[in-house]
Amino acid sequence: MSKDGLILPKDFPQLQNDTFLRAARGEETEHVPVWCMRQAGRYLPEFRESRAGKDFFDTCRSPETCCELTLQPLRRFPFDAAIIFSDILVIPQAMGMDVQMVAGKGPTFPDPLKEPEDLQRLQAKVDVDKELGYVFKAITLTRHKIEGKVPLIGFTGAPWTLMSYMIEGGGSRTFSKAKRWLYRHPEASHMLLRMLTDVIVEYLLGQVAAGAQALQVFESHAGILGPVEFQEFSLPYLRDIARCVKDKLKEAGKDVPMIVFAKDAHYGLEDLSQSHYEVVGLDWTIDPRSARERTGGKVSLQGNMDPCAFYAPKERISDIVKKMLEGFGTRGYIANLGHGLYPDMDPESVGAFVEAVHQHSKQMIKQ
Ligand code: 1CP
């Protein structure tokens, strides 16, 4: 224990189930590993109970609560990985922006970036230990408390997705304010994307130092861009993040698999499979077989059941999973949803999903 009573990032319990890490590297496994985006979420009554009446970002700043929320889904389901409870918007906060979680509305920036001059308001060099140390503490604590059951995934928002929130001020159907910058202020856009990339690299390295065993980069708003804008404003930064993080980790003798999830970026699949990530995450609009063909066995794939399939009867979920497994094959594959779980989903459906992935894949691998 350190002076302030927080546990240090060393002497972690030994990992017992490395199926997820092996699949990420394309190695053989006994079953296909499975986890769900937003597995720590409001669909769980115990999550709603823990979060009741508490401010969302105060929750993110409490390592003990983040640890508890991360572990909750593991007590119910035999997931093969856990993802640290946090949010992508802690980075704009660390850069000096105010972000609030407004009930019924989602994340809201009271004072978003409007014009390029507003970039001066941002903290370009962020001391990640000082500003985001609470996330690192949550990761270290969770790595200890997870007792080596499964690996712990750290994550970040990608530069374009974070930029889009910082300009738009919150969620949006069109993200037209953010896209206006790309067309009207391309230089300032690149300046902002570069600033974000630099912070993200430090942030991810800090997460690994704290104990994260894999990293996922969420480019949730890739689909708002067309193929040309994706090439210019998203892909180069996604590549840079993976390259810089991997180079630095290599120097430290570490190797942590990285996942890129660029939602709705069909047109970018070939490029994403050659951008230094071990795993490409897919949304549900991509056919598994064609994703395999287009990525040519260069990467492992993750995804991509439509989250709404959780509204189907359990037997149907099992059939959908079987087809998905047949489409992806069992090697170099991590089963997941094509996006996060919704709050009104039945935890029993999640149980049926995990069980179906394990059972069907075990049979397929034995054959
Ligand atoms: O009070 C609550 O419970 C609010 C709901 C919630 C939760 C559970 C938010 C607000 N964030 C989170 C946690 C969260 N966010 C996780 C936890 C780990 C897990 O998956 O179990 C993760 C990985 C995120 C990442 C995140 N936040 C993304 C990327 C993934 C995605 O969904 O595409 C995005 C876009 C956000 C922003 C955000 N935070 C919360 C909401 C409702 C949103 C989306 C707002 C919008 O654009 O409409």
Side-chain angles (χ1 to χ4, degrees):
M1 294 281 228
S2 65
K3 274 203 299 292
D4 57 1
L6 282 156
I7 301 170
L8 294 171
K10 58 180 191 182
D11 303 328
F12 290 129
Q14 201 186 342
L15 185 60
Q16 293 146 31
N17 173 1
D18 66 349
T19 316
F20 165 84
L21 296 177
R22 278 188 282 144
R25 298 196 170 100
E27 295 165 14
E28 244 175 68
T29 57
E30 295 74 44
H31 66 261
V32 165
V34 54
W35 67 283
C36 287
M37 288 190 272
R38 287 282 160 93
Q39 65 190 31
R42 275 182 293 171
Y43 74 103
L44 290 177
E46 58 271 34
F47 178 96
R48 296 196 293 271
E49 172 103 358
S50 310
R51 288 262 305 103
K54 297 198 186 88
D55 175 73
F56 179 78
F57 288 109
D58 282 348
T59 304
C60 290
R61 285 188 198 96
S62 160
E64 289 75 21
T65 314
C66 290
C67 172
E68 166 59 20
L69 295 173
T70 304
L71 297 179
Q72 280 178 353
L74 299 184
R75 295 190 192 114
R76 280 190 184 244
F77 315 113
F79 282 126
D80 295 286
I83 182 161
I84 191 67
F85 179 85
S86 186
D87 198 79
I88 61 168
L89 298 174
V90 297
I91 289 189
Q93 286 177 332
M95 293 171 84
M97 293 189 81
D98 184 14
V99 190
Q100 291 156 14
M101 196 57 73
V102 178
K105 194 170 163 211
T108 305
F109 291 64
D111 198 8
L113 305 176
K114 292 199 180 71
E115 296 298 331
E117 301 80 77
D118 292 335
L119 293 182
Q120 287 160 21
R121 282 170 26 205
L122 296 177
Q123 195 79 41
K125 283 260 169 292
V126 174
D127 179 343
V128 291
D129 286 321
K130 181 164 163 269
E131 301 297 336
L132 294 161
Y134 62 88
V135 180
F136 303 154
K137 284 179 181 161
I139 288 174
T140 303
L141 183 63
T142 308
R143 244 323 268 288
H144 281 286
K145 291 251 174 114
I146 211 168
E147 294 170 334
K149 286 194 185 80
V150 292
L152 180 62
I153 307 170
F155 71 90
T156 181
W160 158 245
T161 296
L162 294 179
M163 169 179 168
S164 66
Y165 278 114
M166 290 159 84
I167 295 171
E168 204 71 32
S172 158
R173 209 164 45 81
T174 59
F175 280 94
S176 55
K177 291 193 185 97
K179 288 183 73 180
R180 174 180 167 271
W181 269 52
L182 304 183
Y183 290 99
R184 186 177 285 227
H185 310 300
E187 278 179 24
S189 297
H190 280 297
M191 206 184 288
L192 175 54
L193 291 164
R194 170 54 41 209
M195 278 165 84
L196 284 161
T197 301
D198 292 345
V199 180
I200 287 167
V201 168
E202 292 301 312
Y203 181 46
L204 290 177
L205 289 169
Q207 293 190 39
V208 174
Q213 292 153 293
L215 297 169
Q216 176 152 324
V217 179
F218 285 95
E219 187 69 292
S220 303
H221 297 168
I224 297 286
L225 302 170
V228 176
E229 288 68 41
F230 177 76
Q231 287 289 335
E232 179 172 355
F233 297 105
S234 171
L235 188 64
Y237 299 98
L238 290 172
R239 281 200 176 120
D240 241 39
I241 290 168
R243 211 175 26 81
C244 291
V245 169
K246 287 194 173 293
D247 284 353
K248 283 266 166 58
L249 287 179
K250 215 170 169 189
E251 280 171 28
K254 285 191 177 175
D255 178 19
V256 167
M258 293 182 73
I259 307 164
V260 61
F261 174 62
K263 189 170 179 292
D264 297 322
H266 303 248
Y267 44 74
L269 197 49
E270 286 82 357
D271 284 322
L272 287 166
S273 70
Q274 298 173 57
S275 50
H276 320 296
Y277 292 82
E278 281 81 358
V279 185
V280 175
L282 305 168
D283 64 81
W284 66 89
T285 60
I286 301 183
D287 171 66
R289 281 192 176 81
S290 84
R292 275 287 187 219
E293 274 166 29
R294 290 174 57 194
T295 54
K298 288 189 200 72
V299 283
S300 293
L301 296 175
Q302 174 177 281
N304 73 341
M305 190 176 83
D306 181 354
C308 290
F310 278 152
Y311 297 126
K314 276 190 227 135
E315 321 75 68
R316 183 100 170 78
I317 293 176
S318 173
D319 291 344
I320 293 169
V321 165
K322 188 157 181 275
K323 282 212 181 72
M324 182 169 79
L325 285 162
E326 285 163 358
F328 281 111
T330 52
R331 184 86 180 250
Y333 173 50
I334 297 161
N336 202 315
L337 304 175
H339 202 196
L341 274 153
Y342 305 146
D344 70 346
M345 285 171 167
D346 183 351
E348 283 195 20
S349 305
V350 179
F353 174 66
V354 176
E355 192 185 318
V357 171
H358 284 165
Q359 278 192 351
H360 290 308
S361 65
K362 268 182 203 155
Q363 273 176 5
M364 288 165 72
I365 290 168
K366 258 196 235 144
Q367 273 164 14

